[in-house]
Amino acid sequence: MASATDPCSFSSFSKCVTKHLNLTYHVDFDSHVIKAKVALTVEVLVDNFTSLTLDTKDLKVSKVTANGQAAKFTLGPKHSFMGTPLEITLPFDLSRGQHVIVEVTYETAPSASALQWLTPEQTAGKKHPYLFSQCQATHCRSMVPCQDTPAMKHTYYAQVSVPKELVAVMSAVRDGQEPDPQDSSRAIYRFRQPVPMPSYLIAIVVGALESRYTHTHTHTPIHAAFEYVGDLSMSHSFYISRTETMLKTAEDLAGPYVWGQYDILVLPPSFPYGGMENPCLTFATPTLLVIAHEISHSWTGNLVTNKTWEHFWLNEGHTVYLERMIGRSMESEQFRQFKAMGGWKDLQESVNTFGANNPLTNLVPNMNEVDPDDAFSSVPYEKGFALLYHLEELMGGPEVFMGFVKSYIQMFAYSSVTTEEWKKYLFTYFKNKVDILNKVDWNAWMHTPGMPPVKPQYDTTMADACIALCKRWVKTKEGDLGNFSEVDMKTLSTHQLIEFLSLLLQEDPLPLSHVKRMQEVYRLNALNNAEIRFRWLRLCVKSKWEDAVPMALKMATEQGRMKFTRPLFKEVYNFDKYREEAVRVFIAHRAAMHPVTSNLVAKDLKVDTGKST
């Protein structure tokens, strides 16, 4: 085994490993806490084993037992973001190979960083409260005392008591429901997850959920669940059939889907990420129609997992690679090339934001005393993809390299890996091309900040029209703005329009006259596609168009996806005249925001972050 420590976890997995979790949850919407009990089945790896450490964060622990006997426990000092170690002393000694069931009775805090509690007013339906979790990267410990490291994989079982008018779902297979025998106003939902998975993929949602469309054309049943779907602006049947095609394509590329069911849950707008690949239950935002990335995680991330968060690129780089291969199968190779070019631009923007010498732009960053939330960016996604694409070109093209990716997934399925193990397998798989692999500047790719050492030459066919239109706007003088018309847009796809706006964002701000003319001829304010609107409003604020400021702040607060919310707030904050307005709007909305989002926006706007979340 590689290093048996994780800089983001207190639990040492060299001495013992969790094999199974059994969760009993009582979800209390009045006090915003979960009253809980967890039984961890722990396998001992050393002789004379008498104590273990679990990760916790803001948990109120009332009792610990080991095989039914009372066990002494202490909570150590609180760390700024890692939480508090729970030190448990067993009432007996164990030897290597033995198992012990450690049961912890506890309660979560109302401020638990994994959980967001929504009032009825904050939901689309306005009638019932709602709860959802987001554990990645290190927040599971705020809802379950556990070995909260991706190096550890375990199965789990759960029973969840909720008010009977609500429905509970988890990242697991449904295992029945029944009235709560303790309380007739509540119901119990049961779940089992028979495939071993890391703690960050444990997920729970409780709300007034409706299910739509179950398709069984494939062997995997697909459900889509929404909280109040009346006004959701998408065709549900289209959503499901696209998902079905993607799942089938992914299986053709990567091997069988092992997780049983595939459910999509469209979350409330405050969810901080575009999606979250919880097994059996993908979380998606109302702004997200493309589910290929989260589907791909069923193989890269969930089945083969980064051993620690320093190796996060193994999850995300391979997932972007697989997602774009799905796009290649469903659309075209030119489409894949076009998406790869867009990804390179996102990477450039992240490197610019962090600074080209910032060690967090390393593909494999050092995570000692680094909060994984602060390190989150497009670097592991797009620098990771760029490396895999570069290797694809060196090794013989997409079919050849996809063969390696599929073999890597089969080799490391159900386990957690480091970059070294991945690289060793790459050299083994391509043993006849080791001389080429040895010429790759691995240190520059893995351990050097900034942009990658090699820029791939992507096919620009689909990008050329975007580049040409961007250049026209940048070069046109104010007197010639009449040369633009709505015809410019007619041949551009949605993806190309997004790319056109992304290109403009990389240029110096356009004169105010230009963005006003762009609105006149292209009517971009009327478009509701979130990716387009986000870029358009940033462009307007950069050009100091005051009319765009309230629209930008509205978008930043009416949904909570960090990819949109953080840059929009930053853009308004950088417009000197509206700096105070950005801060005022954030402070007015922060209570309704997800704790991870509000914490990071507070840092961006240099507002006191208040209590540590």
Side-chain angles (χ1 to χ4, degrees), residues 304-308 311 314 408 412 415-419 421:
V304 181
T305 307
N306 48 235
K307 190 165 274 185
T308 68
H311 305 286
L314 291 174
Y408 158 74
F412 293 104
S415 61
S416 303
V417 290
T418 63
T419 300
E421 289 167 310

Side-chain angles (χ1 to χ4, degrees), residues 536-569:
W536 165 238
L537 291 175
R538 280 185 69 194
L539 197 67
C540 293
V541 175
K542 268 184 193 291
S543 298
K544 304 216 176 336
W545 191 2
E546 297 190 30
D547 292 5
V549 170
M551 290 190 282
L553 291 173
K554 184 169 186 268
M555 183 173 186
T557 51
E558 69 184 8
Q559 57 74 52
R561 190 174 170 192
M562 286 197 291
K563 172 184 172 178
F564 300 146
T565 293
R566 290 182 70 188
L568 285 165
F569 265 120

Side-chain angles (χ1 to χ4, degrees), residues 68-323:
Q69 299 178 44
K72 290 195 177 120
F73 67 92
T74 56
L75 284 161
K78 184 172 177 178
H79 181 274
S80 60
F81 61 84
M82 277 168 49
T84 310
L86 172 62
E87 315 276 0
I88 298 168
T89 307
L90 301 181
F92 42 72
D93 286 16
L94 291 173
S95 305
R96 183 186 170 118
Q98 290 188 287
H99 287 71
V100 58
I101 294 181
V102 176
E103 189 169 271
V104 183
T105 305
Y106 66 98
E107 202 171 280
T108 62
S111 61
S113 57
L115 302 173
Q116 190 174 18
W117 303 83
L118 301 180
T119 61
E121 302 75 61
Q122 287 174 292
T123 67
K126 310 289 182 205
K127 287 199 180 99
H128 298 288
Y130 195 99
L131 167 68
F132 69 85
S133 68
Q134 169 62 20
C135 287
Q136 193 178 34
T138 56
H139 300 289
C140 186
R141 62 195 70 177
S142 73
M143 64 180 217
V144 189
C146 60
Q147 291 183 295
D148 195 9
T149 166
M152 194 70 54
K153 290 192 167 181
H154 42 68
T155 52
Y156 81 88
Y157 193 87
Q159 60 173 53
V160 184
S161 168
V162 300
K164 67 180 180 190
E165 63 275 13
L166 302 181
V167 174
V169 288
M170 289 190 79
S171 53
V173 178
R174 289 177 291 277
D175 198 39
Q177 67 185 87
E178 66 209 52
D180 187 334
Q182 315 283 312
D183 183 342
S184 60
S185 71
R186 300 177 70 86
I188 287 177
Y189 287 83
R190 297 178 184 277
F191 304 93
R192 60 187 167 83
Q193 179 49 272
V195 181
M197 50 165 253
S199 54
Y200 77 85
L201 291 174
I202 296 174
I204 181 167
V205 173
V206 181
L209 302 176
E210 295 181 30
S211 265
R212 288 288 166 98
Y213 297 102
T214 303
H215 273 231
T216 47
H217 299 173
T218 62
H219 59 82
T220 305
I222 300 170
H223 304 79
F226 307 88
E227 186 267 338
Y228 182 69
V229 294
D231 63 354
L232 207 65
S233 57
M234 62 178 84
S235 152
H236 303 101
S237 53
F238 173 74
Y239 198 88
I240 293 290
S241 64
R242 286 286 287 183
T243 301
E244 197 172 30
T245 310
M246 284 175 192
L247 200 52
K248 176 79 182 73
T249 307
E251 284 197 294
D252 292 344
L253 289 165
Y257 177 82
V258 303
W259 301 94
Q261 67 196 41
Y262 188 86
D263 287 9
I264 301 167
L265 182 75
V266 178
L267 279 172
S270 58
F271 186 61
Y273 300 97
M276 182 61 207
E277 66 278 6
N278 303 304
C280 311
L281 184 71
T282 280
F283 285 2
T285 46
T287 59
L288 191 78
L289 279 176
V290 182
I291 222 87
H293 183 84
E294 306 310 333
I295 282 179
S296 301
H297 267 306
S298 305
W299 289 267
T300 47
N302 298 5
L303 194 55
V304 181
T305 307
N306 48 235
K307 190 165 274 185
T308 68
W309 296 110
E310 289 144 312
H311 305 286
F312 187 44
W313 84 272
L314 291 174
N315 278 18
E316 297 302 348
H318 286 86
T319 296
V320 173
Y321 185 83
L322 185 50
E323 165 202 349

Side-chain angles (χ1 to χ4, degrees), residues 382-591:
E382 296 299 348
K383 203 174 195 177
F385 171 82
L387 171 59
L388 297 175
Y389 184 84
H390 178 57
L391 292 170
E392 171 195 297
E393 289 193 307
L394 293 176
M395 295 297 99
E399 282 80 5
V400 172
F401 198 72
M402 193 60 223
F404 160 71
V405 173
K406 186 173 186 176
S407 178
Y408 158 74
I409 292 164
Q410 287 167 340
M411 178 70 188
F412 293 104
Y414 308 105
S415 61
S416 303
V417 290
T418 63
T419 300
E420 269 316 299
E421 289 167 310
W422 168 85
K423 188 177 159 194
K424 197 172 163 190
Y425 189 66
L426 177 77
F427 274 69
T428 305
Y429 184 88
F430 289 114
K431 56 182 180 293
N432 301 329
K433 295 178 180 170
V434 166
D435 50 334
I436 304 174
L437 289 172
N438 278 328
K439 290 193 185 117
V440 173
D441 188 343
W442 294 102
N443 188 55
W445 275 102
M446 303 283 184
H447 306 293
T448 307
M451 292 301 284
V454 178
K455 180 175 183 179
Q457 294 304 303
Y458 296 121
D459 176 332
T460 63
T461 308
M462 283 182 71
D464 288 341
C466 317
I467 295 164
L469 189 58
C470 170
K471 279 186 178 154
R472 275 182 64 200
W473 278 97
V474 169
K475 289 185 173 157
T476 295
K477 301 278 182 284
E478 192 169 336
D480 297 328
L481 288 173
N483 294 337
F484 292 103
S485 74
E486 67 268 24
V487 177
D488 307 337
M489 283 288 157
K490 286 284 185 280
T491 57
L492 295 189
S493 68
T494 301
H495 293 289
Q496 287 172 306
L497 178 50
I498 292 167
E499 176 64 8
F500 160 67
L501 294 169
S502 299
L503 288 166
L504 284 173
L505 282 170
Q506 289 199 308
E507 302 286 340
D508 290 336
L510 287 172
L512 182 54
S513 53
H514 285 52
V515 289
K516 286 185 169 178
R517 176 64 182 160
M518 201 178 286
Q519 166 55 21
E520 266 175 42
V521 288
Y522 301 161
R523 297 190 180 86
L524 294 171
N525 283 343
L527 298 180
N528 285 324
N529 176 300
E531 298 282 351
I532 293 171
R533 190 166 183 76
F534 159 65
R535 288 168 176 81
W536 165 238
L537 291 175
R538 280 185 69 194
L539 197 67
C540 293
V541 175
K542 268 184 193 291
S543 298
K544 304 216 176 336
W545 191 2
E546 297 190 30
D547 292 5
V549 170
M551 290 190 282
L553 291 173
K554 184 169 186 268
M555 183 173 186
T557 51
E558 69 184 8
Q559 57 74 52
R561 190 174 170 192
M562 286 197 291
K563 172 184 172 178
F564 300 146
T565 293
R566 290 182 70 188
L568 285 165
F569 265 120
K570 273 195 256 189
E571 231 50 273
V572 177
Y573 183 80
N574 291 335
F575 188 166
D576 287 348
K577 185 174 175 182
Y578 289 94
R579 175 162 294 185
E580 285 177 13
E581 177 69 357
V583 172
R584 187 192 67 75
V585 169
F586 166 63
I587 290 169
H589 285 85
R590 75 190 296 181

